[in-house]
Amino acid sequence: MPSKNKMELETRKQHFHRERSHGWKYFTGLCLLVIMSCLVVWSYTGNERKKHPPPSFLSLHFAGTYTNSTSPSVLSSEESSSFDSEKGINLDDYSRLQKDVYWPGPDRTITNMSMSTSPGYTKFIIQNLKESYQIGEELNVTVHAKDFDNKSKSYGGDFFQAKLFWSKTKASVFGEVVDLLNGSYSVRFLLPWVGEAQVAVRLIHSSEAVQVLKHHRDTDSDRVFFNGYYEGPGPNKTRLRETVTCNVKWDNNGLEHMGTEDCCCEYNDARTGETWRCRRPKSLPCSALVYHSMGGYRNRLTNKEKMLMTQTNKGINGDKRIIKIFHSEGNETIDVTEKCHPGLHTPVPAGFYLNDVWTSFVCSTRHFTTQTTTECLKDKNIYMMGDSTMRQWFEFFMKAIPTLKQMNLHVQYQSGPLIAVDVDNNIDLHWRAHSVPLRTRKTAFADLHYISNEIDDLAGGPHTVIMFNLGPHFTTYPLDFFTHRVLRIRKAVLALLQRAPDTTVIIKTVNTGYKDIFGSDWYSLQLDRILRWAFQDVGVYIIDVWQMTACHYSKENIHPGPIIIKNEIDILLSFICPY
C-alpha cells in the first residue's frame, strides 16, 4: 500500500498536470481576479472599490470600426462581420486583449520624486514559512510597496519581477506576481527541485515610472528614427546621394512630426497595409531609395521623468530565510510527460533551471547533442524571421552542426538574409530580419521583407519549419501598430496551415533585458501579451523565453548568453522532433 507521503505527492502532481492543461486557468485564487495586474481594472476611492473598463488603445487607428472602447455592441452585425473579416479575429477577443494590456497607475497627481515607489523601503516577506516543503508545493510571498518617505502606498502599478533561486546548484524558477492594487503584491512560486532556495524580488519600474514609459510610447514614438539613403545618376556621370529621415506612418503618437504627405515619399505595402515614409529628397525621386539604417535616438524626458527612471531594476530588501525542499519516495523533480504538440498553453512557471538545465512544464522536452540535432533537422527547410535574438539561433546551429555551411550572399549581416546549407543531410537554414522598423546598420531596403509576406510566399509542408519573433524594435510604437502587424502575420499563418496543415510553426516570445525609455521590459511585456493573445488558438508552438531570461542568474542582456540559448534550442528541437 502506498505511503501517505507518496500519495500526497501523486495528488499534487495530478493537480499540477490537470491545472496546467487548462492554460491560463492554471492561475488560482487571486490570479483569477488579476493576472499580472492587468486582467481586471479597479480604482480606489476611499474604502470603496470601483470597477472601470480599460480604455481602448485601438481607438485612434481603428476609429472607423471600433469607436466605443467600452461597448463593442455599438457595432452593427454588418460592421462586426467586416471587422472580423479584415482583422481575422472577433471583437470579443479584441476587447479581451485591451484588458490584458491595461496597466493600473497612480490614483493621484505625482508632484515629486518622494511619492514614487522606493526600492530601499519596499520589502517582501515569505508568508507562513514552514520548516520544510516537498517538491510540487507552493510558496507565497507578499511585497509591500513604500514611497521615499517610508509611507505605505495605497495603489498598484509597480512592475516587479521575482524568482526563487539557489546559486550553488544553479537553480531558479520564475515567480508569478499579482498586483493587489492597494500597494501590496502577492508572489506565487512553485517549488520544483529538491534542495534549498531563496527568494529574490526586483523593482523593474515604479508605477510612476511606468506612466512615464506609457506617456512617451503614446505621444513620442519618433524618439527612435531611421535613415533612408537615396542614390541616382547625376550630371557628367556623377552619382547623387542624399540621406533623409524615415519612420512608420501611423496616426498621431508623434509620428506626424515628419509633416504632411507632400513632405514625404511613401512606400505602401499592399499586402500588409503598412506604410513606410521618408522625407522627400531634394534632388532625387522617391523611387531612388536604396538603403536603410538606424538613424538615432531623441531623449525627450523631462528632469522629473529622468529622476523617476533612475530607480530602475533595483533589488529590494526582504525575507532572506532559506527554504528547504525535500523529495518523497525518490521523486527529485516534477516531471511532465505530455508529448509536445502545437497549441499547448504556457503555464506559470513554464519550467525551471537546475544545474543550468531547463526542465519544461509545457511538454516533455529532451536535450540534444550534435548528432541528434543533425538527425532532427535532416530533410528540413527552416525559415527564421525576426530580430537579432532569433539570429542567435541561426548562429547556434552554425556552430552545433559542423556539416552546415553558410553561403556568402554579400549582404549586411545584421539584417540578412542569411542562408546555410548541409548537402549531406539535406538541410537548408534561412534567417532574415522582420523588415522596418529595424534598428540596423546600413542595409539594402529591398532586402527587408515583411514576415507575413514571406509566409504567404511559402508552400509549407511536412519538411517546412517556420519560426519567428517580434518585439525589441517595436517598443517605442503605439500598441495598435504592433497589433496590426501581429494580426497580419496571424492571418498569413492561418492561411499557411489551411493549405499545408503539416507545416511546423514556432513563435519565440520576447526576451527580457531592456530597461530604458527606448526599450524597457515593461514595453516588451506588453508586446509579449499581444503576441501570445493573437496566436493562442492558432495551433502553433510558443517558446516562452520571457521566463527563461527573467529568472536566470546571468547578467541581463537582450542577447542571452550561450547557456540560455542552448536551453532554448533544446525546447525548439523538442517541438520539431517530439518523442
Side-chain angles (χ1 to χ4, degrees):
M1 186 173 181
S3 68
K4 181 179 179 182
N5 286 342
K6 185 172 183 179
M7 291 175 67
E8 288 178 350
L9 177 63
E10 289 301 317
T11 300
R12 283 197 298 271
K13 290 172 69 174
Q14 290 172 13
H15 173 76
F16 172 77
H17 291 300
R18 181 172 63 252
E19 293 297 328
R20 186 183 61 83
S21 68
H22 286 81
W24 294 114
K25 293 180 181 177
Y26 175 74
F27 303 152
T28 57
L30 286 170
C31 309
L32 293 174
L33 174 64
V34 180
I35 297 178
M36 291 291 287
S37 79
C38 70
L39 290 184
V40 178
V41 185
W42 303 91
S43 69
Y44 284 82
T45 305
N47 293 323
E48 294 183 357
R49 192 168 59 172
K50 183 179 180 182
K51 188 174 180 180
H52 286 283
S56 170
F57 67 84
L58 300 162
S59 58
L60 294 176
H61 195 76
F62 298 117
T65 54
Y66 197 6
T67 57
N68 188 329
S69 66
T70 64
S71 180
S73 60
V74 299
L75 294 182
S76 67
S77 58
E78 183 178 341
E79 288 172 324
S80 296
S81 176
S82 173
F83 185 94
D84 291 359
S85 175
E86 179 188 356
K87 304 302 172 192
I89 204 147
N90 64 53
L91 282 169
D92 287 341
D93 286 335
Y94 237 85
S95 179
R96 192 175 304 117
L97 170 63
Q98 292 180 60
K99 294 178 181 177
D100 284 353
V101 297
Y102 180 83
W103 197 276
D107 59 1
R108 64 204 66 185
T109 301
I110 304 303
T111 57
N112 58 72
M113 178 72 182
S114 66
M115 298 173 68
S116 66
T117 305
S118 164
Y121 288 126
T122 297
K123 299 288 189 295
F124 68 86
I125 186 168
I126 300 170
Q127 297 295 327
N128 304 314
L129 180 66
K130 300 192 298 186
E131 288 188 7
S132 66
Y133 295 82
Q134 292 183 340
I135 56 170
E137 287 192 85
E138 293 183 357
L139 183 76
N140 294 296
V141 171
T142 300
V143 179
H144 295 290
K146 292 189 174 184
D147 64 20
F148 280 85
D149 292 325
N150 200 18
K151 295 178 181 178
S152 295
K153 298 189 71 176
S154 60
Y155 56 84
D158 295 310
F159 180 23
F160 291 102
Q161 286 182 2
K163 68 178 180 180
L164 197 70
F165 74 100
W166 191 247
S167 299
K168 292 180 181 178
T169 55
K170 297 179 179 179
S172 57
V173 64
F174 184 81
E176 175 197 350
V177 180
V178 176
D179 189 344
L180 304 182
L181 304 171
N182 59 4
S184 293
Y185 302 77
S186 69
V187 187
R188 182 186 64 84
F189 293 103
L190 182 72
L191 305 178
W193 66 79
V194 171
E196 296 177 313
Q198 284 184 294
V199 174
V201 181
R202 299 186 74 80
L203 175 65
I204 306 302
H205 295 297
S206 68
S207 55
E208 296 76 19
V210 167
Q211 296 307 304
V212 173
L213 294 169
K214 183 178 184 299
H215 170 72
H216 283 273
R217 184 191 64 197
D218 294 345
T219 62
D220 191 22
S221 289
D222 69 332
R223 66 188 181 280
V224 171
F225 62 94
F226 303 87
N227 288 336
Y229 301 84
Y230 289 77
E231 295 188 8
N236 302 320
K237 297 183 179 180
T238 60
R239 190 79 173 165
L240 297 178
R241 292 180 173 85
E242 289 188 52
T243 303
V244 301
T245 301
C246 304
N247 219 319
V248 170
K249 182 182 180 182
W250 206 251
D251 295 332
N252 299 310
N253 298 87
L255 296 171
E256 73 280 3
H257 292 161
M258 198 172 291
T260 62
E261 291 193 9
D262 291 339
C263 72
C264 302
C265 297
E266 296 194 349
Y267 304 92
N268 306 304
D269 185 82
R271 289 196 280 179
T272 64
E274 292 190 26
T275 300
W276 185 253
R277 67 175 181 165
C278 302
R279 287 193 179 276
R280 191 180 299 275
K282 295 178 180 178
S283 57
L284 288 167
C286 291
S287 58
L289 178 61
V290 181
Y291 298 105
H292 162 88
S293 80
M294 174 66 187
Y297 298 92
R298 301 181 178 107
N299 191 334
R300 296 175 176 136
L301 292 177
T302 65
N303 289 334
K304 175 184 172 183
E305 290 172 334
K306 289 177 181 177
M307 287 293 293
L308 290 171
M309 291 297 295
T310 59
Q311 301 300 316
T312 291
N313 197 27
K314 303 289 187 180
I316 67 171
N317 297 317
D319 201 329
K320 301 299 184 184
R321 288 178 290 176
I322 295 173
I323 299 101
K324 299 183 181 298
I325 311 161
F326 295 94
H327 59 76
S328 176
E329 302 295 332
N331 292 282
E332 295 288 338
T333 61
I334 300 174
D335 298 319
V336 175
T337 58
E338 184 173 4
K339 183 178 180 180
C340 297
H341 61 83
L344 287 170
H345 289 282
T346 304
V348 178
F352 69 99
Y353 288 105
L354 181 61
N355 297 316
D356 269 341
V357 174
W358 180 266
T359 296
S360 173
F361 290 151
V362 176
C363 58
S364 180
T365 58
R366 53 186 168 135
H367 306 290
F368 287 76
T369 63
T370 295
Q371 179 181 345
T372 55
T373 297
T374 305
E375 291 171 353
C376 177
L377 298 185
K378 187 173 182 178
D379 292 324
K380 295 289 193 300
N381 307 310
I382 303 157
Y383 298 90
M384 300 177 168
M385 293 166 272
D387 57 40
S388 55
T389 63
M390 176 66 74
R391 192 181 66 229
Q392 287 185 279
W393 289 3
F394 181 94
E395 294 163 346
F396 177 91
F397 286 126
M398 290 305 306
K399 295 176 181 178
I401 305 176
T403 50
L404 196 60
K405 304 300 180 183
Q406 184 174 346
M407 298 178 65
N408 185 355
L409 300 183
H410 305 286
V411 297
Q412 169 55 252
Y413 182 80
Q414 271 198 331
S415 53
L418 308 178
I419 184 171
V421 177
D422 181 343
V423 176
D424 294 337
N425 294 290
N426 197 29
I427 302 170
D428 62 273
L429 181 66
H430 308 256
W431 175 85
R432 72 182 315 136
H434 55 50
S435 189
V436 290
L438 185 71
R439 306 175 198 177
T440 186
R441 294 173 185 161
K442 189 175 180 181
T443 188
F445 188 72
D447 281 336
L448 302 178
H449 299 179
Y450 290 99
I451 290 177
S452 56
N453 291 350
E454 286 289 299
I455 294 174
D456 282 339
D457 293 337
L458 292 173
H463 299 287
T464 300
V465 180
I466 297 171
M467 55 192 79
F468 65 87
N469 80 307
L470 290 172
H473 297 260
F474 295 83
T475 50
T476 57
Y477 293 99
L479 293 183
D480 56 349
F481 170 69
F482 184 73
T483 303
H484 177 91
R485 175 73 65 96
V486 168
L487 288 181
R488 181 61 189 87
I489 297 172
R490 181 182 187 273
K491 191 173 182 179
V493 170
L494 286 171
L496 170 70
L497 294 177
Q498 185 173 18
R499 66 177 177 268
D502 45 5
T503 307
T504 300
V505 179
I506 301 169
I507 299 172
K508 174 184 164 299
T509 66
V510 183
N511 293 357
T512 59
Y514 280 150
K515 300 292 187 293
D516 60 33
I517 191 65
F518 303 107
S520 159
D521 275 354
W522 182 78
Y523 287 143
S524 297
L525 177 62
Q526 297 260 291
L527 302 184
D528 189 66
R529 287 173 173 170
I530 293 172
L531 190 66
R532 294 172 193 264
W533 162 84
F535 287 93
Q536 61 187 338
D537 60 346
V538 173
V540 299
Y541 293 99
I542 296 179
I543 298 182
D544 189 325
V545 300
W546 179 270
Q547 296 186 43
M548 296 177 74
T549 53
C551 75
H552 196 259
Y553 63 81
S554 59
K555 186 177 180 180
E556 288 183 293
N557 192 322
I558 194 65
H559 298 109
I563 293 171
I564 296 176
I565 295 297
K566 173 61 172 77
N567 281 287
E568 292 176 358
I569 293 295
D570 282 340
I571 300 174
L572 172 70
L573 294 174
S574 295
F575 287 172
I576 298 172
C577 303
Y579 74 110

